[in-house]
Amino acid sequence: MNLSKAAKVTRVMNAVAAGTSDQNSGSVDMKNFDAVQFVVAFGAITASAVTSVHVETSSDDSTFNDLEGTNVAVADDDDNQLVIVEVDCPQERYLRVVVDRGTQNAVIDGAIAFQHKADTEPVTHDTTTVVGSEYHLAPDEGTI
């Protein structure tokens, strides 16, 4: 499997400074894909912060509801770590990841969606968030 040709990569959330407000990512349209993996990166998390990540779903890309069982708790000592949530065979067309922040500050470094199990390959990356993509099979040493 060639991940760069089999998974559509989209940056769905930019970095968000320390705070306690919840943050919703941009949504992904699951048409032509059967699965998505969201990767959320965290920066500094203040002691006593109550932070978690979950996925929401929508049939029309406007009204979103929590997706059952997708809640991942982030401890206040999980600074500079990642949360990965994957949804296979979603029942509705649109999905987004939500970072719940409360009590104390938590820094979000950003979030990326990897849509996979595409109907056809190679997939096309989101050119508004991906500058370039290369694939190399057994390259020789040498000048870049």
Side-chain angles (χ1 to χ4, degrees):
M1 180 177 132
N2 177 330
L3 186 60
S4 65
K5 293 181 180 182
K8 178 181 178 182
V9 179
T10 306
R11 183 176 183 148
V12 292
M13 184 184 296
N14 293 327
V16 181
T20 57
S21 61
D22 295 349
Q23 299 294 313
N24 299 328
S25 77
S27 64
V28 292
D29 183 349
M30 295 302 295
K31 183 178 180 183
N32 301 320
F33 294 92
D34 286 338
V36 63
Q37 180 183 82
F38 291 103
V39 178
V40 181
F42 286 94
I45 302 173
T46 303
S48 300
V50 177
T51 309
S52 64
V53 174
H54 71 273
V55 178
E56 292 182 341
T57 186
S58 172
S59 61
D60 61 4
D61 201 24
S62 65
T63 303
F64 283 84
N65 296 298
D66 294 344
L67 197 55
E68 183 178 6
T70 62
N71 194 51
V72 177
V74 180
D76 61 5
D77 62 350
D78 286 339
D79 302 282
N80 304 309
Q81 294 192 50
L82 304 172
V83 168
I84 300 170
V85 181
E86 188 160 356
V87 177
D88 202 353
C89 299
Q91 296 182 30
E92 294 185 295
R93 183 169 170 176
Y94 300 93
L95 296 174
R96 71 181 181 190
V97 68
V98 177
V99 179
D100 291 320
R101 303 185 300 174
T103 311
Q104 298 293 331
N105 289 337
V107 174
I108 304 168
D109 287 341
I112 299 172
F114 296 88
Q115 292 173 268
H116 56 102
K117 292 188 176 180
D119 290 347
T120 59
E121 293 180 19
V123 300
T124 302
H125 298 294
D126 182 338
T127 58
T128 64
T129 65
V130 177
V131 174
S133 174
E134 293 184 346
Y135 170 74
H136 304 276
L137 178 61
D140 289 332
E141 293 181 17
T143 306
I144 57 171

